[in-house]
Amino acid sequence: MKYYLGLDIGGTKCAAVICEKNSEQILDKIRFETRSERGWESVVDELLTSAENLFHRNGIKNEEVISCGVSCGGPLDSNKGIIMSPPNLSDWDNVPLADIIKDRLGIPCKIQNDADSCALAEWKFGAGKGCDNMVFLTFGTGMGAGLILNGRLYSGSCGMAGEVGHIRLAEDGPVGYGKAGSFEGFCSGGGIASNAKRMLSIYNGTTIIPIDDVSARTVAEAAAKGDKLANAIYRKCGEMLGRGISVLIDILNPEMVVIGSIYERSGYLLKESMMSVIENEAPGYSAKMCKIVPAVLGDSIGDYAAIGVAKIFAEENL
């Protein structure tokens, strides 16, 4: 039997997972709190110890593991396997993680940023199975994209393809990536909260949005109960989501756009206004051919993201 090893590294939690080569189910996993303040060496040691414990309790020999995939927030150098100062991981400055993993476990390793990794997960195991051209939008804390083009992950000349949150959609608006009116400014958890606060400051009606706890979640909860202002906030977000997706449809001509996180939970508040804009901004055959769907892997996406990196790395390089 052959296996893939996946390592998911986040600012809050990390996980080591294993999957049989010909299976689409996670065989076993170990999760732990990152606690990055203890230093990267300690986090990496616990991560690799977790992998060794998985091998031991499942009777797996290291040589039976084809490859290791790592999903981690950027910036990072995927080609060299180096993690370079992610904002949510203190002191991870130019950590040669792929070499560390290969030296300790004897397993070839590939590292990808989390947006690209999640795109691989939804493409290989989730909503995008069978697609040759797919865009995955993170739509969570931030707005990033992973691009599957002509049946391959597209990373760009320096691994930075898919930074769609930078796109300026309006001259003014919530700030994302230091740009007022950017795609991330309008379409992210922070962007929804920021726009909600702005609209609350000029709203004269009644609302059940908790003034002292304004977030994408609390606004969605109010909208689900019929609050007019909350629905208007999500309607505006849907409009800007449609505007951003229209740009991607026109440039990339995908057959599917898979949207994670907030759209998974609250797509029913966004879809109508989103589709209305797409019909006007991206008319024609390209838009009609493109399905826009929520991601389906939910809380397991980090596990499958890391496995997806291992799988693609093995298929293309080993």
Side-chain angles (χ1 to χ4, degrees):
M1 189 72 71
K2 295 293 185 179
Y3 303 87
Y4 296 118
L5 170 66
L7 304 176
D8 182 30
I9 302 173
T12 303
K13 292 184 179 180
C14 293
V17 300
I18 51 173
C19 178
E20 293 179 2
K21 178 183 178 182
N22 297 317
S23 175
E24 294 189 357
Q25 301 296 321
I26 299 298
L27 175 63
D28 199 2
K29 64 183 175 182
I30 294 174
R31 291 188 178 185
F32 61 89
E33 293 185 359
T34 306
R35 294 183 290 120
S36 64
E37 70 278 359
R38 58 186 164 143
W40 71 264
E41 293 98 336
S42 294
V43 178
V44 170
D45 180 67
E46 183 168 1
L47 196 62
L48 299 188
T49 298
S50 296
E52 291 166 340
N53 288 339
L54 284 177
F55 298 164
H56 178 72
R57 74 189 193 189
N58 288 278
I60 297 171
K61 298 178 181 178
N62 290 44
E63 54 266 30
E64 294 177 310
V65 181
I66 303 168
S67 59
C68 172
V70 178
S71 173
C72 182
L76 52 81
D77 187 326
S78 183
N79 292 327
K80 295 181 179 179
I82 297 173
I83 296 177
M84 305 182 298
S85 305
N88 61 345
L89 294 170
S90 58
D91 94 330
W92 288 60
D93 301 322
N94 298 314
V95 177
L97 186 59
D99 287 343
I100 292 170
I101 291 169
K102 188 172 183 179
D103 289 345
R104 177 158 163 180
L105 301 181
I107 300 169
C109 177
K110 179 72 172 180
I111 297 173
Q112 288 283 2
N113 72 59
D114 47 6
D116 285 349
S117 301
C118 289
L120 290 174
E122 287 289 342
W123 179 44
K124 284 295 184 180
F125 305 105
K129 286 176 65 176
C131 287
D132 285 329
N133 296 284
M134 184 199 91
V135 175
F136 173 79
L137 297 178
T138 58
F139 198 7
T141 303
M143 171 60 80
L147 309 175
I148 306 298
L149 302 178
N150 294 330
R152 294 176 64 91
L153 176 69
Y154 178 76
S155 298
S157 58
C158 64
M160 296 297 288
E163 296 289 356
V164 299
H166 292 196
I167 299 171
R168 196 187 299 275
L169 299 179
E171 286 301 313
D172 195 17
V175 176
Y177 282 108
K179 292 183 182 178
S182 66
F183 196 0
E184 177 168 292
F186 283 107
C187 299
S188 63
I192 291 172
S194 178
N195 202 38
K197 290 174 183 176
R198 183 188 65 81
M199 294 178 72
L200 277 165
S201 70
I202 59 175
Y203 187 61
N204 293 322
T206 59
T207 179
I208 61 172
I209 299 173
I211 306 301
D212 58 348
D213 184 21
V214 180
S215 67
R217 177 184 58 80
T218 58
V219 175
E221 289 171 350
K225 295 176 182 177
D227 186 273
K228 290 184 178 180
L229 177 60
N231 273 283
I233 293 165
Y234 265 86
R235 187 161 55 249
K236 180 64 174 179
C237 180
E239 291 171 0
M240 303 314 286
L241 180 61
R243 189 175 296 273
I245 290 174
S246 296
V247 173
L248 298 175
I249 289 174
D250 283 339
I251 295 173
L252 300 175
N253 187 206
E255 57 195 287
M256 184 176 289
V257 176
V258 180
I259 314 176
S261 197
I262 290 172
Y263 194 82
E264 283 184 78
R265 302 189 299 270
S266 305
Y268 68 100
L269 298 171
L270 299 159
K271 186 175 182 179
E272 183 177 352
S273 57
M274 175 189 75
M275 292 306 302
S276 178
V277 170
I278 291 172
E279 288 169 6
N280 289 322
E281 292 290 324
Y285 197 57
S286 293
K288 291 178 181 178
M289 286 293 293
C290 182
K291 296 180 180 179
I292 301 172
V293 301
V296 300
L297 294 176
D299 292 339
S300 298
I301 193 166
D303 300 340
Y304 284 101
I307 291 295
V309 175
K311 182 177 177 67
I312 294 299
F313 176 54
E315 291 174 352
E316 295 183 352
N317 297 278
L318 301 178

Short mmCIF file of all heavy atoms in Angstrom, two decimals, residues 224-276:
data_model
loop_
_atom_site.label_atom_id
_atom_site.label_comp_id
_atom_site.label_asym_id
_atom_site.label_seq_id
_atom_site.Cartn_x
_atom_site.Cartn_y
_atom_site.Cartn_z
N ALA A 224 -30.61 36.94 8.14
CA ALA A 224 -31.44 35.74 8.11
C ALA A 224 -32.76 35.93 8.84
O ALA A 224 -33.75 35.26 8.56
CB ALA A 224 -30.67 34.57 8.73
N LYS A 225 -32.79 36.89 9.77
CA LYS A 225 -34.01 37.19 10.52
C LYS A 225 -34.82 38.31 9.86
O LYS A 225 -35.80 38.78 10.44
CB LYS A 225 -33.65 37.57 11.95
CG LYS A 225 -33.03 36.42 12.73
CD LYS A 225 -32.59 36.88 14.13
CE LYS A 225 -31.91 35.74 14.89
NZ LYS A 225 -31.41 36.18 16.22
N GLY A 226 -34.39 38.74 8.67
CA GLY A 226 -35.15 39.72 7.92
C GLY A 226 -34.76 41.17 8.14
O GLY A 226 -35.46 42.07 7.65
N ASP A 227 -33.65 41.42 8.82
CA ASP A 227 -33.23 42.80 9.06
C ASP A 227 -32.90 43.48 7.73
O ASP A 227 -32.08 43.01 6.95
CB ASP A 227 -31.99 42.79 9.97
CG ASP A 227 -31.57 44.20 10.38
OD1 ASP A 227 -30.80 44.82 9.62
OD2 ASP A 227 -32.01 44.65 11.44
N LYS A 228 -33.53 44.63 7.47
CA LYS A 228 -33.38 45.32 6.19
C LYS A 228 -31.96 45.82 5.96
O LYS A 228 -31.41 45.68 4.86
CB LYS A 228 -34.37 46.49 6.10
CG LYS A 228 -35.83 46.05 5.98
CD LYS A 228 -36.74 47.26 5.81
CE LYS A 228 -38.19 46.82 5.64
NZ LYS A 228 -39.10 47.98 5.47
N LEU A 229 -31.36 46.41 6.97
CA LEU A 229 -30.01 46.93 6.81
C LEU A 229 -29.02 45.79 6.57
O LEU A 229 -28.15 45.88 5.69
CB LEU A 229 -29.58 47.74 8.03
CG LEU A 229 -28.14 48.29 7.99
CD1 LEU A 229 -27.95 49.21 6.80
CD2 LEU A 229 -27.79 48.99 9.30
N ALA A 230 -29.14 44.73 7.33
CA ALA A 230 -28.24 43.59 7.18
C ALA A 230 -28.35 42.99 5.78
O ALA A 230 -27.34 42.65 5.15
CB ALA A 230 -28.54 42.54 8.24
N ASN A 231 -29.56 42.89 5.28
CA ASN A 231 -29.74 42.37 3.92
C ASN A 231 -29.14 43.31 2.89
O ASN A 231 -28.57 42.86 1.88
CB ASN A 231 -31.21 42.12 3.64
CG ASN A 231 -31.66 40.74 4.10
OD1 ASN A 231 -31.39 39.74 3.45
ND2 ASN A 231 -32.35 40.69 5.25
N ALA A 232 -29.25 44.62 3.13
CA ALA A 232 -28.65 45.59 2.21
C ALA A 232 -27.13 45.48 2.20
O ALA A 232 -26.49 45.62 1.15
CB ALA A 232 -29.08 47.00 2.60
N ILE A 233 -26.55 45.21 3.36
CA ILE A 233 -25.09 45.04 3.46
C ILE A 233 -24.64 43.84 2.65
O ILE A 233 -23.67 43.90 1.87
CB ILE A 233 -24.67 44.91 4.94
CG1 ILE A 233 -24.90 46.24 5.68
CG2 ILE A 233 -23.21 44.47 5.05
CD1 ILE A 233 -24.86 46.11 7.19
N TYR A 234 -25.34 42.73 2.79
CA TYR A 234 -24.97 41.53 2.04
C TYR A 234 -25.30 41.68 0.56
O TYR A 234 -24.59 41.14 -0.31
CB TYR A 234 -25.63 40.28 2.64
CG TYR A 234 -24.70 39.59 3.60
CD1 TYR A 234 -24.62 39.98 4.93
CD2 TYR A 234 -23.86 38.57 3.17
CE1 TYR A 234 -23.74 39.37 5.81
CE2 TYR A 234 -22.98 37.95 4.04
CZ TYR A 234 -22.92 38.36 5.35
OH TYR A 234 -22.03 37.76 6.20
N ARG A 235 -26.35 42.42 0.25
CA ARG A 235 -26.67 42.67 -1.16
C ARG A 235 -25.54 43.44 -1.84
O ARG A 235 -25.14 43.14 -2.96
CB ARG A 235 -27.99 43.42 -1.27
CG ARG A 235 -28.51 43.57 -2.70
CD ARG A 235 -30.00 43.90 -2.73
NE ARG A 235 -30.31 45.07 -1.92
CZ ARG A 235 -30.99 45.04 -0.78
NH1 ARG A 235 -31.43 43.89 -0.29
NH2 ARG A 235 -31.26 46.16 -0.11
N LYS A 236 -25.00 44.45 -1.14
CA LYS A 236 -23.88 45.21 -1.67
C LYS A 236 -22.65 44.32 -1.84
O LYS A 236 -21.94 44.41 -2.87
CB LYS A 236 -23.55 46.38 -0.74
CG LYS A 236 -22.38 47.25 -1.20
CD LYS A 236 -22.69 47.95 -2.52
CE LYS A 236 -21.60 48.92 -2.91
NZ LYS A 236 -21.89 49.59 -4.20
N CYS A 237 -22.39 43.47 -0.88
CA CYS A 237 -21.26 42.55 -0.98
C CYS A 237 -21.46 41.63 -2.19
O CYS A 237 -20.51 41.37 -2.94
CB CYS A 237 -21.13 41.74 0.30
SG CYS A 237 -19.77 40.55 0.28
N GLY A 238 -22.68 41.14 -2.38
CA GLY A 238 -22.97 40.28 -3.53
C GLY A 238 -22.73 40.98 -4.85
O GLY A 238 -22.22 40.39 -5.81
N GLU A 239 -23.10 42.26 -4.90
CA GLU A 239 -22.87 43.04 -6.12
C GLU A 239 -21.37 43.12 -6.44
O GLU A 239 -20.96 42.92 -7.59
CB GLU A 239 -23.43 44.45 -5.96
CG GLU A 239 -24.96 44.50 -5.92
CD GLU A 239 -25.48 45.87 -5.55
OE1 GLU A 239 -24.65 46.77 -5.31
OE2 GLU A 239 -26.71 46.04 -5.47
N MET A 240 -20.57 43.39 -5.43
CA MET A 240 -19.13 43.51 -5.67
C MET A 240 -18.48 42.15 -5.94
O MET A 240 -17.52 42.05 -6.71
CB MET A 240 -18.46 44.21 -4.49
CG MET A 240 -19.04 45.59 -4.18
SD MET A 240 -19.29 46.65 -5.63
CE MET A 240 -17.60 47.11 -6.01
N LEU A 241 -19.03 41.11 -5.34
CA LEU A 241 -18.56 39.76 -5.64
C LEU A 241 -18.83 39.46 -7.11
O LEU A 241 -17.97 38.91 -7.82
CB LEU A 241 -19.26 38.75 -4.74
CG LEU A 241 -18.89 37.28 -4.91
CD1 LEU A 241 -17.41 37.04 -4.63
CD2 LEU A 241 -19.76 36.40 -3.99
N GLY A 242 -20.02 39.82 -7.58
CA GLY A 242 -20.35 39.63 -8.98
C GLY A 242 -19.45 40.43 -9.90
O GLY A 242 -19.05 39.96 -10.97
N ARG A 243 -19.09 41.64 -9.49
CA ARG A 243 -18.20 42.47 -10.30
C ARG A 243 -16.82 41.83 -10.40
O ARG A 243 -16.22 41.78 -11.48
CB ARG A 243 -18.11 43.87 -9.68
CG ARG A 243 -17.40 44.90 -10.56
CD ARG A 243 -17.46 46.28 -9.93
NE ARG A 243 -18.82 46.77 -9.85
CZ ARG A 243 -19.44 47.43 -10.83
NH1 ARG A 243 -18.81 47.67 -11.97
NH2 ARG A 243 -20.69 47.84 -10.68
N GLY A 244 -16.30 41.36 -9.28
CA GLY A 244 -14.99 40.71 -9.30
C GLY A 244 -14.99 39.43 -10.11
O GLY A 244 -14.06 39.17 -10.88
N ILE A 245 -16.02 38.61 -9.96
CA ILE A 245 -16.11 37.36 -10.70
C ILE A 245 -16.24 37.64 -12.20
O ILE A 245 -15.70 36.90 -13.03
CB ILE A 245 -17.28 36.50 -10.18
CG1 ILE A 245 -16.94 35.97 -8.78
CG2 ILE A 245 -17.57 35.34 -11.12
CD1 ILE A 245 -18.08 35.23 -8.11
N SER A 246 -16.93 38.71 -12.56
CA SER A 246 -17.08 39.06 -13.98
C SER A 246 -15.72 39.30 -14.62
O SER A 246 -15.48 38.90 -15.77
CB SER A 246 -17.96 40.31 -14.12
OG SER A 246 -19.28 40.06 -13.68
N VAL A 247 -14.83 39.97 -13.90
CA VAL A 247 -13.47 40.20 -14.41
C VAL A 247 -12.77 38.86 -14.65
O VAL A 247 -12.13 38.64 -15.69
CB VAL A 247 -12.66 41.07 -13.43
CG1 VAL A 247 -11.20 41.16 -13.87
CG2 VAL A 247 -13.27 42.46 -13.30
N LEU A 248 -12.90 37.95 -13.70
CA LEU A 248 -12.26 36.64 -13.82
C LEU A 248 -12.84 35.84 -14.97
O LEU A 248 -12.12 35.14 -15.69
CB LEU A 248 -12.40 35.87 -12.51
CG LEU A 248 -11.74 36.52 -11.28
CD1 LEU A 248 -12.06 35.73 -10.02
CD2 LEU A 248 -10.24 36.64 -11.47
N ILE A 249 -14.16 35.91 -15.16
CA ILE A 249 -14.80 35.20 -16.28
C ILE A 249 -14.29 35.75 -17.60
O ILE A 249 -13.95 34.98 -18.52
CB ILE A 249 -16.33 35.33 -16.18
CG1 ILE A 249 -16.87 34.49 -15.02
CG2 ILE A 249 -17.00 34.88 -17.49
CD1 ILE A 249 -18.35 34.67 -14.75
N ASP A 250 -14.23 37.07 -17.73
CA ASP A 250 -13.77 37.67 -18.98
C ASP A 250 -12.33 37.34 -19.29
O ASP A 250 -11.96 37.11 -20.46
CB ASP A 250 -13.94 39.19 -18.93
CG ASP A 250 -15.38 39.63 -19.12
OD1 ASP A 250 -16.17 38.85 -19.68
OD2 ASP A 250 -15.72 40.75 -18.71
N ILE A 251 -11.47 37.28 -18.29
CA ILE A 251 -10.04 37.05 -18.53
C ILE A 251 -9.71 35.57 -18.65
O ILE A 251 -8.95 35.16 -19.52
CB ILE A 251 -9.20 37.68 -17.39
CG1 ILE A 251 -9.36 39.21 -17.41
CG2 ILE A 251 -7.73 37.31 -17.53
CD1 ILE A 251 -8.69 39.90 -16.24
N LEU A 252 -10.29 34.74 -17.78
CA LEU A 252 -9.85 33.35 -17.66
C LEU A 252 -10.80 32.33 -18.29
O LEU A 252 -10.40 31.19 -18.52
CB LEU A 252 -9.66 32.99 -16.18
CG LEU A 252 -8.62 33.82 -15.43
CD1 LEU A 252 -8.60 33.45 -13.96
CD2 LEU A 252 -7.23 33.65 -16.04
N ASN A 253 -12.06 32.72 -18.52
CA ASN A 253 -13.03 31.82 -19.14
C ASN A 253 -13.13 30.46 -18.42
O ASN A 253 -13.03 29.40 -19.04
CB ASN A 253 -12.66 31.61 -20.61
CG ASN A 253 -13.70 30.83 -21.42
OD1 ASN A 253 -13.35 30.20 -22.40
ND2 ASN A 253 -14.94 30.85 -21.01
N PRO A 254 -13.31 30.48 -17.08
CA PRO A 254 -13.39 29.21 -16.35
C PRO A 254 -14.74 28.53 -16.57
O PRO A 254 -15.74 29.18 -16.90
CB PRO A 254 -13.24 29.65 -14.89
CG PRO A 254 -13.85 31.02 -14.87
CD PRO A 254 -13.48 31.64 -16.19
N GLU A 255 -14.76 27.22 -16.36
CA GLU A 255 -16.03 26.51 -16.41
C GLU A 255 -16.71 26.50 -15.04
O GLU A 255 -17.90 26.21 -14.94
CB GLU A 255 -15.85 25.09 -16.93
CG GLU A 255 -14.87 24.24 -16.13
CD GLU A 255 -14.46 22.99 -16.87
OE1 GLU A 255 -15.31 22.07 -16.98
OE2 GLU A 255 -13.30 22.92 -17.34
N MET A 256 -15.93 26.83 -14.00
CA MET A 256 -16.50 26.84 -12.65
C MET A 256 -15.74 27.81 -11.77
O MET A 256 -14.52 27.91 -11.85
CB MET A 256 -16.47 25.44 -12.03
CG MET A 256 -17.12 25.34 -10.67
SD MET A 256 -17.15 23.62 -10.04
CE MET A 256 -18.38 22.90 -11.13
N VAL A 257 -16.48 28.54 -10.92
CA VAL A 257 -15.90 29.32 -9.84
C VAL A 257 -16.41 28.72 -8.54
O VAL A 257 -17.63 28.66 -8.31
CB VAL A 257 -16.28 30.81 -9.93
CG1 VAL A 257 -15.73 31.58 -8.72
CG2 VAL A 257 -15.77 31.43 -11.23
N VAL A 258 -15.51 28.25 -7.71
CA VAL A 258 -15.84 27.64 -6.43
C VAL A 258 -15.48 28.65 -5.34
O VAL A 258 -14.36 29.14 -5.29
CB VAL A 258 -15.07 26.33 -6.21
CG1 VAL A 258 -15.44 25.71 -4.86
CG2 VAL A 258 -15.35 25.35 -7.35
N ILE A 259 -16.45 28.95 -4.47
CA ILE A 259 -16.24 30.00 -3.47
C ILE A 259 -16.35 29.40 -2.07
O ILE A 259 -17.33 28.72 -1.75
CB ILE A 259 -17.26 31.14 -3.63
CG1 ILE A 259 -17.39 31.54 -5.11
CG2 ILE A 259 -16.82 32.34 -2.80
CD1 ILE A 259 -18.44 32.60 -5.37
N GLY A 260 -15.37 29.68 -1.24
CA GLY A 260 -15.33 29.09 0.09
C GLY A 260 -15.86 29.97 1.19
O GLY A 260 -16.42 31.04 0.97
N SER A 261 -15.73 29.46 2.40
CA SER A 261 -15.95 30.17 3.65
C SER A 261 -17.27 30.92 3.74
O SER A 261 -18.32 30.32 3.92
CB SER A 261 -14.76 31.10 3.92
OG SER A 261 -14.73 31.51 5.26
N ILE A 262 -17.26 32.25 3.60
CA ILE A 262 -18.47 33.05 3.80
C ILE A 262 -19.54 32.67 2.79
O ILE A 262 -20.73 32.59 3.13
CB ILE A 262 -18.13 34.55 3.72
CG1 ILE A 262 -17.31 34.96 4.96
CG2 ILE A 262 -19.39 35.42 3.64
CD1 ILE A 262 -16.75 36.37 4.91
N TYR A 263 -19.13 32.38 1.55
CA TYR A 263 -20.14 31.99 0.55
C TYR A 263 -20.71 30.62 0.87
O TYR A 263 -21.90 30.37 0.60
CB TYR A 263 -19.52 32.00 -0.85
CG TYR A 263 -20.56 31.94 -1.96
CD1 TYR A 263 -21.22 33.09 -2.38
CD2 TYR A 263 -20.89 30.73 -2.56
CE1 TYR A 263 -22.17 33.04 -3.39
CE2 TYR A 263 -21.83 30.67 -3.57
CZ TYR A 263 -22.47 31.83 -3.98
OH TYR A 263 -23.42 31.77 -4.98
N GLU A 264 -19.92 29.73 1.42
CA GLU A 264 -20.44 28.43 1.84
C GLU A 264 -21.58 28.60 2.85
O GLU A 264 -22.59 27.91 2.79
CB GLU A 264 -19.34 27.59 2.48
CG GLU A 264 -18.35 26.96 1.52
CD GLU A 264 -17.37 26.08 2.26
OE1 GLU A 264 -17.74 24.95 2.63
OE2 GLU A 264 -16.23 26.53 2.48
N ARG A 265 -21.39 29.52 3.80
CA ARG A 265 -22.36 29.71 4.87
C ARG A 265 -23.51 30.63 4.48
O ARG A 265 -24.65 30.43 4.92
CB ARG A 265 -21.66 30.28 6.11
CG ARG A 265 -20.54 29.43 6.66
CD ARG A 265 -20.06 29.97 8.00
NE ARG A 265 -19.53 31.32 7.89
CZ ARG A 265 -18.26 31.62 7.64
NH1 ARG A 265 -17.40 30.63 7.45
NH2 ARG A 265 -17.86 32.87 7.59
N SER A 266 -23.21 31.65 3.68
CA SER A 266 -24.19 32.73 3.47
C SER A 266 -24.44 33.02 2.00
O SER A 266 -24.89 34.12 1.65
CB SER A 266 -23.69 34.00 4.16
OG SER A 266 -23.43 33.78 5.54
N GLY A 267 -24.22 32.06 1.15
CA GLY A 267 -24.42 32.27 -0.27
C GLY A 267 -25.83 32.69 -0.64
O GLY A 267 -26.03 33.45 -1.59
N TYR A 268 -26.81 32.23 0.13
CA TYR A 268 -28.20 32.58 -0.15
C TYR A 268 -28.46 34.08 0.02
O TYR A 268 -29.43 34.61 -0.55
CB TYR A 268 -29.15 31.77 0.75
CG TYR A 268 -29.07 32.13 2.22
CD1 TYR A 268 -30.01 32.97 2.80
CD2 TYR A 268 -28.05 31.62 3.02
CE1 TYR A 268 -29.94 33.30 4.15
CE2 TYR A 268 -27.97 31.94 4.36
CZ TYR A 268 -28.92 32.78 4.92
OH TYR A 268 -28.84 33.11 6.25
N LEU A 269 -27.61 34.76 0.77
CA LEU A 269 -27.74 36.21 0.94
C LEU A 269 -27.02 36.98 -0.16
O LEU A 269 -27.23 38.19 -0.31
CB LEU A 269 -27.16 36.64 2.30
CG LEU A 269 -27.82 36.08 3.54
CD1 LEU A 269 -27.01 36.42 4.78
CD2 LEU A 269 -29.25 36.59 3.68
N LEU A 270 -26.19 36.30 -0.93
CA LEU A 270 -25.32 36.95 -1.90
C LEU A 270 -25.67 36.63 -3.35
O LEU A 270 -25.40 37.43 -4.25
CB LEU A 270 -23.87 36.52 -1.66
CG LEU A 270 -23.26 36.88 -0.31
CD1 LEU A 270 -22.05 35.98 -0.01
CD2 LEU A 270 -22.84 38.33 -0.29
N LYS A 271 -26.27 35.47 -3.59
CA LYS A 271 -26.37 34.93 -4.95
C LYS A 271 -27.19 35.81 -5.88
O LYS A 271 -26.77 36.07 -7.03
CB LYS A 271 -26.97 33.52 -4.90
CG LYS A 271 -26.97 32.84 -6.26
CD LYS A 271 -27.44 31.41 -6.16
CE LYS A 271 -27.40 30.73 -7.52
NZ LYS A 271 -27.84 29.31 -7.43
N GLU A 272 -28.34 36.29 -5.44
CA GLU A 272 -29.20 37.05 -6.36
C GLU A 272 -28.52 38.32 -6.87
O GLU A 272 -28.49 38.57 -8.08
CB GLU A 272 -30.52 37.41 -5.66
CG GLU A 272 -31.50 38.13 -6.57
CD GLU A 272 -32.83 38.43 -5.90
OE1 GLU A 272 -33.05 37.95 -4.76
OE2 GLU A 272 -33.65 39.14 -6.50
N SER A 273 -27.95 39.10 -5.96
CA SER A 273 -27.30 40.34 -6.39
C SER A 273 -26.02 40.04 -7.17
O SER A 273 -25.68 40.75 -8.12
CB SER A 273 -27.00 41.25 -5.19
OG SER A 273 -26.20 40.59 -4.22
N MET A 274 -25.32 38.98 -6.79
CA MET A 274 -24.11 38.58 -7.52
C MET A 274 -24.43 38.22 -8.97
O MET A 274 -23.79 38.72 -9.91
CB MET A 274 -23.48 37.38 -6.82
CG MET A 274 -22.28 36.78 -7.55
SD MET A 274 -21.75 35.20 -6.80
CE MET A 274 -23.06 34.09 -7.39
N MET A 275 -25.44 37.39 -9.16
CA MET A 275 -25.78 36.94 -10.51
C MET A 275 -26.32 38.08 -11.36
O MET A 275 -26.09 38.13 -12.57
CB MET A 275 -26.79 35.80 -10.43
CG MET A 275 -26.23 34.51 -9.85
SD MET A 275 -24.73 33.90 -10.68
CE MET A 275 -25.32 33.73 -12.37
N SER A 276 -27.03 39.00 -10.75
CA SER A 276 -27.56 40.15 -11.49
C SER A 276 -26.43 40.97 -12.09
O SER A 276 -26.50 41.41 -13.26
CB SER A 276 -28.42 41.02 -10.57
OG SER A 276 -28.90 42.16 -11.26
#
